[in-house]
Amino acid sequence: MTDASEEAKQIEKLYEFGERLNEAKDKSQNVKDYEGIIDATKTSLKSKQLAAQLIPRFFKFFPNLSSRALNAHFDLIEEEDLAVRVQAIRGLPLFCKDTKEYISKIVDILGQLLTAEEIVERDAVHKALMSVLRQDVKESLTALFKHIWNVEDPSQDETIRDKVLCFIRDKVFPLKAELLRPQDEMERHITDLIKRSLGDVTGAEFRMFMDFLKSLSIFGEKAPPDRLKELIGLIEGQADLDAEFDASDADHIDRLISCLFMALPFFVRGASGSKFLNYLSKHIIPVFDKLPEERKLDLLKALAEISPYTTPQDSRQILPSVVQLLKKYMPRRKTGEETNFTYVECLLFSFHHLAHKAPNATNSLCGYKIVTGQPSDRLGEDFSEYYKDFTERLSSVEDLTRATMKKLTQGMAEHNKAMAAAKSDEAKDSIKTQKQNTTTGLRTCNNILAMTKPLHSKTPAFIGDKGINLSWKEAIKPSLPSSSTAMGVKRPATAANGSNNLATKKGRGAGGMQHQLVNRALEGISYSGRGGGRARGRGRGRGWGGRGRGRGRGYW
């Protein structure tokens, strides 16, 4: 151990080196002084702290000693003493202030240091990174993102990757207006970095990136169609729409449904959903029965919510599949099986909006007589049996719905009596929840009756406006401007309502809680089938909904 007198001499010597370098007009001539500072990194703790300040300060004047100086400084970062480490970290931005070629290396090291456990050390790393980012944001971001897409040793690099992602989310994204200058150039650059990172991400990470991209001006409300197409393309890639579909692959189903809801705001803005609808029509709806029970409603809700924004061509393509599914859940006669009214609501809503865009397609599907003057009207063919079959199914589901509404109304009266008699807050909260469930059930039933009524005509007027508010969507108050609830792409840990909750923390999908509420309200009448967690198994990389990432693991 260095004694006090020797340490004092070392400190004094270091101050002399620093003073001479400060005073020298041509500092590059004072090689011995700078070497003395470098050598001090092997001495006492206080000398190391002082050397950590002096090495980066005069670094640019001694290019021939750059490797030696950097290695000595990096050794200080690995010191056991916290004060030495913190001082060494604080000095890192100075290495690249005038020598830009070191930015990538310094950012790489700072990225690794984000795993520091000591708060003061971690704060020093954050400040140092922000300092380097402000020096050269383009080069710094590129180096930082390499920690996201280059994970060669998952056992070690996963923690670093997570910390880098958190830093980008918490420190970089909120300062985009300040950091991303010039705006168009840097927004494009960070977009390219994000796109390169999407090959192996969790669902939470993908939603985070998409939320950020949507906030950029280049993808704003005035963005040209090709920009929307670019974002939809990213979502389509995550949904894996080019892959063969396996109905037992819960991971793929989860991603598909989540991505459908993420894409919805872009469909509203005019982006094409053709690829999604084509995949649903060809691969998903034909095997609907084989899907996990806990995901069926999520898929139908997604279909219902995107149906108002489909093109006539896409509507015509998917209508036959929707009609077949609708017939399945609208039995022609009472079968003794319970009816899932929420399924029926979703499918009727989808049917109306799709048929509104391709009305004559229903002639050969439901026996209607809609005239558009096109050969596809097929007016010379007899589809009267189809009309009889379809309207009988409508009448059957209407009878079931009215019976359900009667029971729900009776239940509401009982809830009101129970509320008046309830003593404890706990009992009142329980009854309040039951009343809310019943209200949701009644809303579902009212929607069904409103949508079946016009379909009895041989030339029905299909609903293509916002006249029907889906039961799981918050009611729009007439006195307020119309607004749609955000299509949630948040992390499952944040509980949200209805279809906006793409994945609740129990592994349930969009609108899962609302599904439970509706079916509890219709207990004994409506099928209630949810349960089970999500399965892994695509081997694509990171789990879509969990933190258990790693190459070769399940995507969600």
Side-chain angles (χ1 to χ4, degrees), residues 472-532:
W472 63 89
K473 308 283 283 183
E474 187 175 342
I476 299 172
K477 298 178 181 179
S479 58
L480 297 176
S482 176
S483 63
S484 59
T485 52
M487 290 303 109
V489 290
K490 293 290 184 182
R491 181 75 184 168
T494 56
N497 63 4
S499 64
N500 300 323
N501 184 11
L502 299 184
T504 63
K505 60 185 178 182
K506 288 292 185 182
R508 305 183 192 280
M513 182 57 68
Q514 288 288 353
H515 186 192
Q516 290 180 316
L517 299 182
V518 171
N519 285 317
R520 279 206 293 271
L522 309 179
E523 189 174 358
I525 303 163
S526 170
Y527 170 79
S528 64
R530 290 193 70 79

Side-chain angles (χ1 to χ4, degrees), residues 16-34:
E16 289 177 8
F17 294 150
E19 286 174 7
R20 281 200 293 269
L21 282 165
N22 270 330
E23 294 169 0
K25 291 184 178 180
D26 184 1
K27 295 176 175 45
S28 63
Q29 299 301 312
N30 293 53
V31 175
K32 293 294 183 183
D33 291 333
Y34 195 62

Side-chain angles (χ1 to χ4, degrees), residues 433-450:
T433 299
Q434 292 175 42
K435 289 180 67 175
Q436 290 172 341
N437 299 344
T438 303
T439 301
T440 303
L442 286 168
R443 222 166 33 226
T444 297
C445 292
N446 278 319
N447 281 346
I448 289 173
L449 293 178

Side-chain angles (χ1 to χ4, degrees), residues 5 54 80 105 125-126 221 255 333 340 398 410 428 538:
S5 60
L54 297 174
E80 289 186 13
K105 187 175 185 69
V125 174
H126 287 174
E221 290 300 322
R255 277 186 289 111
R333 299 176 185 86
N340 191 315
E398 285 168 342
Q410 292 170 348
K428 289 179 181 178
R538 286 196 66 75

Side-chain angles (χ1 to χ4, degrees), residues 245-380:
F245 182 71
D246 179 358
S248 65
D249 187 350
D251 177 77
H252 192 188
I253 299 166
D254 288 335
R255 277 186 289 111
L256 177 67
I257 294 169
S258 294
C259 288
L260 269 171
F261 280 108
M262 271 189 269
L264 181 57
F266 303 110
F267 297 152
V268 174
R269 291 171 60 185
S272 171
S274 294
K275 197 166 183 180
F276 273 108
L277 289 166
N278 183 57
Y279 198 83
L280 288 175
S281 179
K282 290 186 177 180
H283 300 282
I284 308 297
I285 295 179
V287 295
F288 189 79
D289 282 350
K290 297 181 181 179
L291 299 181
E293 289 297 332
E294 68 272 15
R295 305 308 275 144
K296 287 181 178 179
L297 179 63
D298 303 334
L299 182 67
L300 293 181
K301 285 188 173 184
L303 178 61
E305 293 204 33
I306 66 173
S307 61
Y309 310 103
T310 56
T311 64
Q313 182 178 352
D314 291 333
S315 299
R316 187 176 297 276
Q317 180 186 18
I318 199 171
L319 255 174
S321 300
V322 171
V323 170
Q324 283 302 111
L325 209 52
L326 184 57
K327 287 181 178 180
K328 174 179 172 57
Y329 292 103
M330 289 199 316
R332 191 169 183 175
R333 299 176 185 86
K334 292 182 180 180
T335 61
E337 294 184 10
E338 294 170 343
T339 300
N340 191 315
F341 292 94
T342 320
Y343 283 19
V344 175
E345 179 193 13
C346 291
L347 287 164
L348 279 171
F349 187 89
S350 300
F351 174 75
H352 268 283
H353 282 275
L354 296 170
H356 180 73
K357 298 181 184 68
N360 66 349
T362 63
N363 292 355
S364 59
L365 296 172
C366 309
Y368 291 134
K369 295 287 186 181
I370 295 173
V371 180
T372 65
Q374 300 297 319
S376 52
D377 291 347
R378 301 176 68 176
L379 296 178

Side-chain angles (χ1 to χ4, degrees), residues 198-252:
L198 297 181
D200 191 13
V201 289
T202 66
E205 291 164 0
F206 182 64
R207 288 188 286 271
M208 175 192 76
F209 282 136
M210 289 306 300
D211 278 348
F212 176 71
L213 290 177
K214 285 191 296 183
S215 75
L216 297 179
S217 64
I218 61 172
F219 298 112
E221 290 300 322
K222 297 181 180 179
D226 62 306
R227 297 275 174 82
L228 294 184
K229 185 177 180 181
E230 181 179 359
L231 292 184
I232 284 292
L234 299 181
I235 300 173
E236 290 172 347
Q238 287 297 310
D240 223 1
L241 300 182
D242 294 321
E244 287 294 321
F245 182 71
D246 179 358
S248 65
D249 187 350
D251 177 77
H252 192 188

Side-chain angles (χ1 to χ4, degrees), residues 384-446:
S384 57
E385 282 299 315
Y386 291 176
Y387 176 75
K388 181 182 178 183
D389 174 82
F390 194 65
T391 52
E392 283 182 4
R393 292 175 187 275
L394 291 170
S395 297
S396 177
V397 82
E398 285 168 342
D399 290 342
L400 289 167
T401 302
R402 291 189 184 99
T404 300
M405 291 184 73
K406 184 177 180 180
K407 291 186 179 183
L408 288 172
T409 303
Q410 292 170 348
M412 184 64 83
E414 292 171 5
H415 296 328
N416 289 333
K417 290 179 183 177
M419 180 65 83
K423 302 296 183 184
S424 67
D425 290 340
E426 185 178 351
K428 289 179 181 178
D429 288 341
S430 175
I431 296 167
K432 184 179 178 181
T433 299
Q434 292 175 42
K435 289 180 67 175
Q436 290 172 341
N437 299 344
T438 303
T439 301
T440 303
L442 286 168
R443 222 166 33 226
T444 297
C445 292
N446 278 319

